[in-house]
Amino acid sequence: METQNLLTEIDGLLADMKAKDVQVLDVRGLSSVTDYMVIASATSTRHVKAVADHLTEQMKRRGTQPLGVEGQEASEWVLVDLGDVVVHVMQPQARAFYDLERLWARPEGAVQ
């Protein structure tokens, strides 16, 4: 699946499960692991797990096999690796603590 289509699919699936504050970070040139990171908040450990499970199941149905899923045990932060896109579903406290948006921000004036 083309990356822009994948991002659109992910956005829709996160919206289906009422994920909050969805952000897409373009990390091309900053990371050799992935091109985009999608960060979304969920309201509880159950919600985090439900969102990640829904995303994983629906991507498999669409023919995109996740390369890995991490963090399902604690469900404060679940990472779903879809290759060109890595999705982070986090509780607000974990999201604020790790502040991935700031960590992966492009330096001021950087060209993408």
Side-chain angles (χ1 to χ4, degrees):
M1 183 180 295
E2 190 223 292
T3 303
Q4 289 305 316
N5 292 340
L6 181 59
L7 287 168
T8 301
E9 290 285 329
I10 291 166
D11 187 58
L13 293 169
L14 294 174
D16 289 348
M17 294 300 292
K18 308 289 191 246
K20 306 287 185 205
D21 193 22
V22 177
Q23 300 290 317
V24 177
L25 305 178
D26 181 346
V27 295
R28 292 176 293 181
L30 298 175
S31 171
S32 61
V33 176
T34 192
D35 290 339
Y36 294 91
M37 289 188 192
V38 176
I39 304 167
S41 294
T43 57
S44 66
T45 55
R46 282 185 183 188
H47 191 206
V48 169
K49 183 167 178 19
V51 170
D53 287 349
H54 179 71
L55 177 65
T56 301
E57 290 168 17
Q58 291 302 313
M59 293 312 300
K60 285 179 185 177
R61 284 187 181 171
R62 289 166 168 77
T64 301
Q65 181 67 36
L67 301 176
V69 179
E70 300 292 331
Q72 289 177 307
E73 301 78 32
S75 294
E76 287 185 17
W77 175 2
V78 176
L79 178 148
V80 180
D81 184 349
L82 298 167
D84 291 340
V85 180
V86 172
V87 181
H88 302 270
V89 183
M90 310 171 87
Q91 286 192 49
Q93 313 89 289
R95 187 169 177 173
F97 181 79
Y98 291 102
D99 198 8
L100 296 179
E101 290 95 337
R102 184 188 56 76
L103 180 66
W104 288 101
R106 292 189 176 277
E108 195 68 34
V111 177
Q112 292 188 12

